[in-house]
Amino acid sequence: MHVCQYRGKDHLCFFQGIQQNGYCRGHGVIMDEHYHIVKTVVPGGGMAASDMHEFKLINNGKTALMTVYQQRQFDMSIWNVKGGMGWLMESVFQEVDVETNKVLFEWRSLDHVDPSVSYTYPGHTDTSGTGLEPRSPWDYFHINSVDKNADGDYLISSRHTCAIYKISGKDGSVLWQLHGANPSFKNINFSFSQQHDARWLTENGTHTLLSLYNNGFNGFNRTHDYSSGMLILINHVDQTATQLHEYGPQNHDMISSSQGNMQVLPNGNVFIGWGNNAYVSEHDAEGNLLLWGYIDKGRIMNYRAQKFHWEGNPTDIPALWTYSKTTDAASPTTFYVSWNGATRVKHWRFYGLNNSTDNYTLIHQSPKDGFETSYTASEFYRFTYAEAIDAQGKVLGKSREQFTFTPSPALQEYCSDTTCENTQAYGVPGEEDAKAIIPQIGLNTVPWVDPDQPGVHLNWGNKWPPAPENEPSGALKNAYNRVGWVAPSLGIILTVVAIYVVVRVYRRRPNSSGMRRRSSEALGAKESKASLRVSSLLWWSPRRWRQTEPARYFPLSEEQGRIR
């Protein structure tokens, strides 16, 4: 996962998929500051899924670089696969349009790099593959990074050929190769193997400066004493490559058999992820170690570790758990609070009370301390909540009001003053052949639920961001709650009555055209009837505009003749 630019804003980009033997099947994901997925990106050209090794947005998020691993049948007779066709894994990379997934450029390893130059043979390592079946194709190339320069050319790293390639963005040809079986340059003071994460730093007509992470080990063959980050300068005039700096691990004794990366920061420092050893480090430009830490020891791996500025604003609420060993007034209460993904939190405020009818009291404010912050108050609080505070003292979010957990009397003696650890077996410690006991039905085992008022405890806290400051005042809101739906209904009734009165008054007015004529004048009578039928109707009446028969008109002399 890394920070990427998409539509002019910072987003998080990462690969999501299923792990295979040294590669993956999945797709790229773009996530906004609220941790909502706004886009998924898949390869094009008939490729079903992308691979984990590279998903990188470029061109301000308009296009993406993606790796694809595709198995295919291949004549592997020179590798002693002679009873039929063998299976080989081809490394592919694409540049695709993020919005349409249209393929703008595609490169395939078999078109340009022969499998005979690979240093990883069929059935040789845990990720090489046997080459005997489609579920275990021989991975002769193993692409693990892709970069692009301003000229439109690409830089790729191949772990299993131990080489870095510059690829033409016009025809896909190999423009030059660093290290490996057929190098374009003479290495002056370095070598590498099983490397990862080759990146362009600067280029001109005579020199190329790039970085990479040298593993020096694949779990079976070891070429170096330790893994390291490398800064390498290529001289295109005299066709040489020189290592300018090496960034090694603490005590120079860590070697990673897979994964890893090196990131050059804007200030010239270097940040390194140590791959299957889930350690991270930061070095100054000269290689001096500034930071050495770990995510975990031995149980997890971390493909890449990178350093960015990121502001995350999750839409959920802070998580709080409070604990006290007993309900005695002098029993300490310990708060454990976190807010996953919220980067603006600087302090936590802890509140508590003992009677649900009382007001909460501010107990303490603590600076945020890592992912989860804990604080122990000196006395017991039955109900608690926490607020997340930013650097300006503004409340970012509020947790749910929490009922403090206290262990039952049977459990208390096995718990400490600040927490109660997980059990290891049924029964009490040391009890043999203990089994689960089924209690009688109907017991109230959830202490924060009142059987007589089962919904009282449901208070879900405030979500980010807080409610706007210009919302109605408390008095106005209370008045609206008292009136409810009566006011809108009364308004509608009064409007209908007013319209009815206006219509009645209007209809009682005498007809100014037909009523003033003498009844003895037949033509006047005709006009009067027509006026009553149409003209006397109000403009909004449907009858005025819906005539059942066409209007008929007669010359004055003809009509008078008919009357006579």
Side-chain angles (χ1 to χ4, degrees), residues 301-370:
M301 297 184 291
N302 186 50
Y303 183 62
R304 287 177 185 163
Q306 296 171 307
K307 184 178 181 180
F308 295 96
H309 172 76
W310 170 250
E311 184 175 293
N313 298 300
T315 55
D316 61 354
I317 63 175
L320 173 69
W321 187 71
T322 51
Y323 168 87
S324 183
K325 189 173 182 179
T326 72
T327 59
D328 295 339
S331 179
T333 302
T334 301
F335 296 73
Y336 297 91
V337 65
S338 63
W339 197 1
N340 193 16
T343 61
R344 298 165 57 200
V345 180
K346 299 300 181 183
H347 296 87
W348 289 103
R349 288 177 186 163
F350 301 107
Y351 295 81
L353 61 80
N354 283 312
N355 192 322
S356 60
T357 61
D358 293 339
N359 294 323
Y360 277 95
T361 301
L362 174 61
I363 302 169
H364 186 72
Q365 177 170 302
S366 295
K368 179 185 176 183
D369 183 18

Side-chain angles (χ1 to χ4, degrees), residues 321-325 332 334 336 376 405 407 411-412 414-422:
W321 187 71
T322 51
Y323 168 87
S324 183
K325 189 173 182 179
T334 301
Y336 297 91
T376 300
F405 171 76
L411 185 61
Q412 284 177 2
Y414 305 105
C415 298
S416 70
D417 289 338
T418 58
T419 191
C420 201
E421 299 293 344
N422 294 333

Side-chain angles (χ1 to χ4, degrees), residues 259-525:
Q259 307 164 80
N261 73 291
M262 169 178 165
Q263 177 193 15
V264 178
L265 302 175
N267 65 355
N269 287 359
V270 170
F271 198 81
I272 293 180
W274 297 90
N276 66 288
N277 296 302
Y279 281 70
V280 297
S281 64
E282 185 170 350
H283 312 252
D284 66 16
E286 300 303 317
N288 299 307
L289 187 64
L290 304 177
L291 168 71
W292 181 256
Y294 60 88
I295 303 170
D296 198 7
K297 293 183 177 181
R299 295 184 297 177
I300 67 169
M301 297 184 291
N302 186 50
Y303 183 62
R304 287 177 185 163
Q306 296 171 307
K307 184 178 181 180
F308 295 96
H309 172 76
W310 170 250
E311 184 175 293
N313 298 300
T315 55
D316 61 354
I317 63 175
L320 173 69
W321 187 71
T322 51
Y323 168 87
S324 183
K325 189 173 182 179
T326 72
T327 59
D328 295 339
S331 179
T333 302
T334 301
F335 296 73
Y336 297 91
V337 65
S338 63
W339 197 1
N340 193 16
T343 61
R344 298 165 57 200
V345 180
K346 299 300 181 183
H347 296 87
W348 289 103
R349 288 177 186 163
F350 301 107
Y351 295 81
L353 61 80
N354 283 312
N355 192 322
S356 60
T357 61
D358 293 339
N359 294 323
Y360 277 95
T361 301
L362 174 61
I363 302 169
H364 186 72
Q365 177 170 302
S366 295
K368 179 185 176 183
D369 183 18
F371 175 77
E372 182 178 71
T373 300
S374 63
Y375 166 72
T376 300
S378 60
E379 55 188 359
F380 175 73
Y381 294 94
R382 184 173 297 278
F383 300 96
T384 61
Y385 74 87
E387 287 179 339
I389 310 300
D390 69 6
Q392 287 73 42
K394 179 182 178 182
V395 177
L396 299 175
K398 170 182 170 293
S399 76
R400 177 182 176 181
E401 294 179 15
Q402 192 72 28
F403 184 92
T404 299
F405 171 76
T406 56
S408 63
L411 185 61
Q412 284 177 2
E413 64 177 296
Y414 305 105
C415 298
S416 70
D417 289 338
T418 58
T419 191
C420 201
E421 299 293 344
N422 294 333
T423 187
Q424 302 299 317
Y426 291 117
V428 299
E431 182 179 352
E432 296 182 359
D433 299 326
K435 297 181 180 179
I437 298 175
I438 301 176
Q440 68 183 64
I441 297 174
L443 295 178
N444 180 23
T445 62
V446 185
W448 57 86
V449 176
D450 184 350
D452 297 325
Q453 303 181 67
V456 170
H457 65 288
L458 297 178
N459 184 323
W460 298 100
N462 295 327
K463 293 184 177 180
W464 188 96
E469 296 181 357
N470 60 350
E471 67 177 358
S473 64
L476 183 58
K477 291 172 68 175
N478 292 335
Y480 178 81
N481 290 334
R482 287 195 301 269
V483 175
W485 54 267
V486 175
S489 301
L490 184 60
I492 294 173
I493 292 173
L494 291 176
T495 301
V496 172
V497 170
I499 294 174
Y500 177 79
V501 171
V502 171
V503 171
R504 294 291 297 174
V505 171
Y506 188 91
R507 290 177 65 91
R508 289 181 180 180
R509 294 175 59 189
N511 188 289
S512 59
S513 57
M515 296 300 293
R516 293 179 181 180
R517 295 182 181 273
R518 291 181 302 167
S519 60
S520 60
E521 295 178 354
L523 181 59

Side-chain angles (χ1 to χ4, degrees), residues 204-274:
N204 58 35
T206 60
H207 292 81
T208 296
L209 182 66
L210 59 84
S211 65
L212 61 87
Y213 178 81
N214 172 37
N215 292 80
F217 184 47
N218 66 358
F220 297 85
N221 302 313
R222 184 166 180 167
T223 60
H224 292 70
D225 293 332
Y226 54 86
S227 301
S228 64
M230 291 184 172
L231 200 62
I232 297 172
L233 181 65
I234 297 175
N235 188 322
H236 296 283
V237 177
D238 59 15
Q239 299 295 291
T240 60
T242 304
Q243 178 179 271
L244 299 184
H245 289 289
E246 179 188 71
Y247 305 90
Q250 188 179 49
N251 302 323
H252 293 83
D253 58 358
M254 177 174 287
I255 191 159
S256 301
S257 60
S258 67
Q259 307 164 80
N261 73 291
M262 169 178 165
Q263 177 193 15
V264 178
L265 302 175
N267 65 355
N269 287 359
V270 170
F271 198 81
I272 293 180
W274 297 90

Side-chain angles (χ1 to χ4, degrees), residues 8-22:
K9 295 183 179 180
D10 283 346
H11 286 71
L12 293 178
C13 286
F14 59 94
F15 171 85
Q16 184 178 51
I18 299 174
Q19 177 72 48
Q20 306 290 325
N21 191 25

